[in-house]
Amino acid sequence: MEPSPTSRLALAALPGSVRAARRHVHDHLRLWGLPHLIETAELVVSELSTNAVKATGFPTDSPSYGELSNGLNAICVGLYVAGACAVIEVWDSSDEPPLRGDADLDDEGGRGLLLVEALATRWGFRRVEGGGKVVWAELKVETQ
Ligand SMILES: Nc1ncnc2c1ncn2[C@@H]1O[C@H](COP(=O)(O)OP(=O)(O)OP(=O)(O)O)[C@@H](O)[C@H]1O
Ligand SMILES: [Mg+2]
């Protein structure tokens, strides 16, 4: 049996890494012959990686040297195909769970996970041995 394609990319927990996460997902889905998933997958990984950066990182791409010398957190984007689904996951070092709200029209934020829920067949999170958690979302390979 062909091994399922899998990829992983560790990134700094900085806002600019969201673009790199999107690019990674885009390139791998194209490579794996799943170009029809790219648009949706890019939206999902943008929301999940933005949340991961917010939970653990700097709000700017140019923290001061002093801040940098105190250490930079990482996030990690994972992508794999399991059966009929492509799974996008993002690890961060925070133990706080993602909390899907129900944003109304006046709210400035709180829509990211609502969007993920609308686009994915399922989403969830799991804590990781050694620390942090992975937030994941599944897309159906056939029908997207
Ligand atoms: N990776 C995460 N780690 C910790 N908390 C998270 C994570 N992802 C989401 N959350 C929590 O869940 C809440 C809802 O996330 P969601 O993405 O829906 O909204 P938001 O990030 O607050 O706003 P928006 O995505 O619309 O800019 C967040 O405000 C945060 O409290
Ligand atoms: Mg968000």
Side-chain angles (χ1 to χ4, degrees):
M1 195 169 71
E2 285 276 302
S4 295
T6 300
S7 78
R8 207 174 254 200
L9 179 68
L11 295 161
L14 295 171
S17 294
V18 173
R19 188 183 164 95
R22 266 202 308 271
R23 192 75 232 172
H24 182 80
V25 163
H26 179 116
D27 290 349
H28 281 78
L29 289 174
R30 187 164 294 288
L31 192 70
W32 297 345
L34 299 170
H36 56 295
L37 295 186
I38 289 174
E39 201 177 339
T40 306
E42 281 194 19
L43 283 170
V44 168
V45 80
S46 293
E47 293 303 330
L48 297 186
S49 52
T50 300
N51 284 350
V53 170
K54 271 199 222 166
T56 60
F58 287 104
T60 159
D61 281 320
S62 46
S64 70
Y65 295 146
E67 287 172 317
L68 283 173
S69 67
N70 286 330
L72 197 54
N73 284 331
I75 64 168
C76 188
V77 176
L79 180 68
Y80 58 91
V81 177
C85 290
V87 183
I88 300 154
E89 55 179 40
V90 179
W91 172 88
D92 68 60
S93 59
S94 157
D95 290 325
E96 292 298 315
L99 297 169
R100 181 183 57 69
D102 36 12
D104 63 35
L105 283 177
D106 295 331
D107 290 342
E108 276 187 18
R111 290 193 176 75
L113 291 172
L114 283 171
L115 181 66
V116 170
E117 185 164 283
L119 295 172
T121 47
R122 295 194 304 163
W123 76 276
F125 77 100
R126 65 175 185 279
R127 297 197 197 278
V128 172
E129 208 185 313
K133 63 174 182 301
V134 162
V135 186
W136 54 267
E138 277 183 6
L139 304 183
K140 248 193 202 118
V141 166
E142 298 296 340
T143 59
Q144 296 280 321

